[in-house]
Amino acid sequence: MSVPADTSLHGLWSKRTAFMFAAVGSAVGLGNIWKFPYMTGESGGGAFVLIYLLCVIFIGLPVMMAEITLGQRGRHSPVQTMRRLATEDGNSQGWQIIGWMGMLAGVMILSFYVVIAGWTVAYLIDSVRGVFDGFDAAAASAHWEALVGSPQRLILWHTVMTVLTAWVIMRGVNRGIEHATTILMPSLFALLLLLVGYAALYGEFLQGLRYLFVFDFSQINPDVTLKAMGQAFFSLSVGMGAIMVYGAYLPRKFSIPEAATVVVSADMMVALLMGVALFPIVFASGFEPSADPGLIFQALVLAFDQMPGGWLIGTLFFALTMIAAWTSAISLLEPIVSWMVDSRNMRRCSATALCAAIVWVAGLGTVFSFNIASGPEWQLYGKNFFHWMDYLASNIMLPVGGILISLYAGWMVRREVMQAQINIDHTTVFYGWLWLIRVVVPLSIFLVLLRGLGIL
Ligand code: PFF
């Protein structure tokens, strides 16, 4: 389908803030609220946080700038964008792999993402209904076990989240994504501030801060480093084309470095604020932070119940998490839907319905990983279906996508073309970015991957 120059078939963001809300909405999600605290718990606190922050600033930010720039130039879904750029730049069509792998990673991540997001809906509703009143630790665990032990309940909530996500995507870029994120993101930030204020008043604030910011370097090993890097990619939504497709809808007049810096700072701030807000609450409730993905739910229910006004705060917290998950899920679905519309000439509605159905079916694998397929006979090298999906997509595919994106942006596009598109006036800053993306980023991702996988 042909598109007039410098616009996209799907439309463009109507305002700068629309892109910001959508991109921050994509970045801020379960990765910040649910995964970051439990991975920090699993990997021993401050040392993990430090590597994560370094990866965010020196790898995530430059890759995000590259991704937005490529998307803005290509103006299509990631596959079509890479195809168009490869043609214009005289490069191999093989670079479309960035788009293909990204779409696959998107479907894989979304398939478990909607299930976890479903937990937040279940907890939100139970919290509103006052189910958690008078809960003790045993009741909190029993409640959790009852939820994940029931495939029917998990399927119900994962269906709800899949439908909500598909509904926004069906409505398109402006009436759907832009509209939804412009309402949801400010609400999310308001709720977050309330929660942090509350944690400061009632939680073990200092203990939480100490946990996050005391660096114990003996905890750093190749595996922790790989996880921290995977977490940085996951949390920023980079490496799979989600940010690229949002960049495709970005009008030329907006500054890419500025946009990327705002998105990265907002994401980092939310992860840290969540850590600062959650760890004190978790410590105050007597739980130990650890590796269990369900711990945060159990600890919080208990903690909220023991606190003044806890019912309201708990309800707000689950609402916040659900909103954050929803706006991220939207961005995981857009690359593949836009590809079907761009290259298969499908209507947005049918493309969305088809993709949502694929995601829903794949999501059953994660649903069953917590109940009927949770036993060791269902595991491969100690990981169940859900763990494999997460590990392969977040720790392998996103970083590999990051390497390819940076190599393409750094070496395969003429320097002047890149400089004009990314629009960095300051030559030193541009060269700083260029050499990060040419050498530092791909090399460090490569080394961390090899060490983390035990190859080096
Ligand atoms: N960044 C999201 C989070 O932190 O929860 C997850 C995510 C969204 C990852 C979009 C990748 C992506 F393309």
Side-chain angles (χ1 to χ4, degrees):
M1 212 176 278
S2 81
V3 185
D6 214 36
T7 180
S8 113
L9 178 66
H10 310 272
L12 295 181
W13 306 113
S14 69
K15 307 187 261 316
R16 203 175 86 97
T17 44
F19 170 78
M20 294 296 185
F21 282 136
V24 173
S26 166
V28 172
L30 292 170
N32 308 60
I33 301 174
W34 161 80
K35 209 170 169 205
F36 179 72
Y38 99 72
M39 299 237 340
T40 307
E42 173 182 87
S43 311
F48 174 85
V49 178
L50 180 68
I51 307 180
Y52 162 78
L53 290 178
L54 289 176
C55 289
V56 165
I57 295 169
F58 292 105
I59 299 180
L61 177 62
V63 174
M64 180 174 292
M65 284 163 56
E67 231 188 285
I68 301 177
T69 312
L70 295 180
Q72 193 192 42
R73 214 181 124 212
R75 291 279 185 236
H76 283 83
S77 68
V79 172
Q80 299 286 97
T81 282
M82 289 316 297
R83 180 190 168 124
R84 178 169 167 186
L85 298 189
T87 309
E88 281 179 10
D89 297 329
N91 295 321
S92 151
Q93 289 298 333
W95 286 101
Q96 284 181 43
I97 182 80
I98 295 177
W100 290 108
M101 199 175 59
M103 282 193 316
L104 181 63
V107 170
M108 286 167 69
I109 296 178
L110 191 55
S111 77
F112 69 80
Y113 209 83
V114 280
V115 177
I116 318 279
W119 299 349
T120 67
V121 187
Y123 268 76
L124 172 62
I125 292 178
D126 285 344
S127 183
V128 172
R129 289 173 49 221
V131 170
F132 304 130
D133 282 354
F135 261 32
D136 57 10
S141 318
H143 188 83
W144 162 255
E145 299 293 339
L147 173 67
V148 294
S150 156
Q152 292 86 341
R153 286 180 63 197
L154 290 188
I155 289 175
L156 168 69
W157 300 121
H158 127 255
T159 309
V160 168
M161 276 317 293
T162 311
V163 170
L164 280 177
T165 306
W167 174 59
V168 174
I169 290 291
M170 261 182 203
R171 293 174 57 87
V173 174
N174 298 104
R175 282 189 330 122
I177 309 178
E178 177 169 332
H179 198 71
T181 49
T182 313
I183 298 174
L184 294 174
M185 289 317 286
S187 337
L188 181 129
F189 277 98
L191 294 181
L192 183 69
L193 287 180
L194 261 176
L195 203 72
V196 175
Y198 188 86
L201 284 178
Y202 295 104
E204 299 286 335
F205 207 58
L206 284 179
Q207 201 179 346
L209 280 179
R210 215 174 304 127
Y211 190 74
L212 273 186
F213 293 112
V214 170
F215 307 121
D216 173 3
F217 289 98
S218 66
Q219 300 268 2
I220 298 183
N221 61 39
D223 186 49
V224 168
T225 314
L226 177 62
K227 281 190 187 149
M229 187 177 75
Q231 173 63 13
F233 273 92
F234 185 88
S235 180
L236 294 175
S237 308
V238 292
M240 57 144 279
I243 290 292
M244 192 184 281
V245 79
Y246 279 7
Y249 311 146
L250 184 67
R252 271 308 294 266
K253 53 184 190 282
F254 302 140
S255 155
I256 293 176
E258 201 182 295
T261 311
V262 172
V263 176
V264 169
S265 319
D267 186 67
M268 215 159 53
M269 196 187 73
V270 175
L272 293 178
L273 280 181
M274 261 351 266
V276 169
L278 288 189
F279 282 115
I281 296 180
V282 170
F283 283 122
S285 73
F287 271 98
E288 278 297 311
S290 84
D292 184 351
L295 188 90
I296 216 83
F297 285 87
Q298 298 171 47
L300 287 177
V301 160
L302 189 60
F304 291 141
D305 191 53
Q306 292 165 353
M307 290 176 182
W311 171 81
L312 183 63
I313 292 292
T315 304
L316 294 180
F317 170 80
F318 292 120
L320 171 148
T321 314
M322 188 206 144
I323 293 174
W326 188 11
T327 53
S328 299
I330 292 168
S331 72
L332 284 159
L333 195 55
E334 180 64 16
I336 183 164
V337 170
S338 64
W339 170 73
M340 288 192 179
V341 176
D342 277 355
S343 66
R344 297 277 145 250
N345 276 338
M346 282 177 80
R347 291 192 21 225
R348 192 169 254 275
C349 256
S350 351
T352 312
L354 178 63
C355 297
I358 298 173
V359 165
W360 186 86
V361 172
L364 296 178
T366 293
V367 163
F368 299 141
S369 297
F370 289 93
N371 35 68
I372 51 185
S374 63
E377 70 279 18
W378 291 93
Q379 293 180 356
L380 194 65
Y381 296 108
K383 288 185 171 50
N384 62 24
F385 182 87
F386 155 64
H387 289 128
W388 272 112
M389 284 284 152
D390 183 19
Y391 184 81
L392 287 178
S394 317
N395 293 358
I396 315 281
M397 292 163 86
L398 297 188
V400 170
I403 295 184
L404 294 175
I405 289 169
S406 46
L407 290 180
Y408 192 90
W411 296 103
M412 307 308 289
V413 185
R414 288 214 331 275
R415 209 202 57 237
E416 312 80 67
V417 174
M418 207 62 203
Q419 187 162 10
Q421 188 82 34
I422 199 171
N423 215 349
I424 304 181
D425 293 332
H426 206 291
T427 316
T428 325
V429 177
F430 175 73
Y431 276 98
W433 170 79
L434 190 65
W435 285 101
L436 272 178
I437 211 83
R438 282 188 165 174
V439 181
V440 179
V441 168
L443 203 64
S444 11
I445 302 179
F446 189 62
L447 290 178
V448 173
L449 263 178
L450 290 190
R451 297 270 337 223
L453 296 176
I455 301 172
L456 199 72

